[in-house]
Amino acid sequence: MKSAFQTEAAVATIIAQGPVPEVLVLKRKANPDDPWSGHYAFPGGRRNHADSSLLDTCIRETYEECGILLSIRDLVKEYPVRQAGNYLNRPVPVTPYLFELPEHPSIRLQKAEISCHEWLDLDYLGDTDNVIKRPMSPRSPDILYPCIPATEGFIWGFTYETLMVVIADRYPRIS
């Protein structure tokens, strides 16, 4: 049995301020061993024993997945722990961290896990006209989930819910 320490995770919600605020999402590569295979997600992952905190996990995983070395100076907020993977009956406690950067940093994707990245305009994400409902699992075609179309799929589940929390909390003019 895994301990809670091994299953804790952290993600970085990275907003590039620029002329229009945009958030970074990564698309996970297709992998039969990954329950989130092919999904859009924030950079992040599971805590390992070398990490002294979940913030360290967030910073390490972000660097490994997309080459962005986050700084504590850019940390805006730690959000409460939420469960990811509920629809799979494999919940993982995940702590989201919000980082705001002045502009897009350069990206170096970890090609073994990540197929692409995308910067999404917060105005687009916060516009309720862009939210649709659709089945996200072929095993449950009658269950519809709220999601937002992206270039190569949909933002949904934990990532969608976290984005809505961040937008409502930090960018209320958008929602």
Side-chain angles (χ1 to χ4, degrees), residues 4 9 15 17 22 36 39-41 54-55 59 61 78 83 90 94 103 120 129 132 146 159 166 175:
I15 308 282
Q17 295 297 315
E22 295 179 310
W36 294 279
H39 295 194
Y40 278 101
L54 281 170
L55 180 56
I59 291 169
E61 284 281 348
E78 174 183 335
Q83 300 291 321
R90 294 171 70 181
V94 180
E103 58 192 16
L120 297 172
D129 288 340
I132 62 173
T159 304
V166 168
S175 55

Side-chain angles (χ1 to χ4, degrees), residues 36-70:
W36 294 279
S37 175
H39 295 194
Y40 278 101
F42 297 120
R46 293 181 189 264
R47 184 176 187 177
N48 70 31
H49 293 293
D51 298 331
S52 63
S53 69
L54 281 170
L55 180 56
D56 285 348
T57 300
C58 180
I59 291 169
R60 175 185 55 77
E61 284 281 348
T62 299
Y63 184 73
E64 288 174 4
E65 290 183 353
C66 62
I68 298 172
L69 184 55
L70 295 170

Side-chain angles (χ1 to χ4, degrees), residues 16-30:
Q17 295 297 315
V20 175
E22 295 179 310
V23 65
L24 174 67
V25 290
L26 307 177
K27 186 165 186 198
R28 300 179 66 82
K29 266 194 164 171

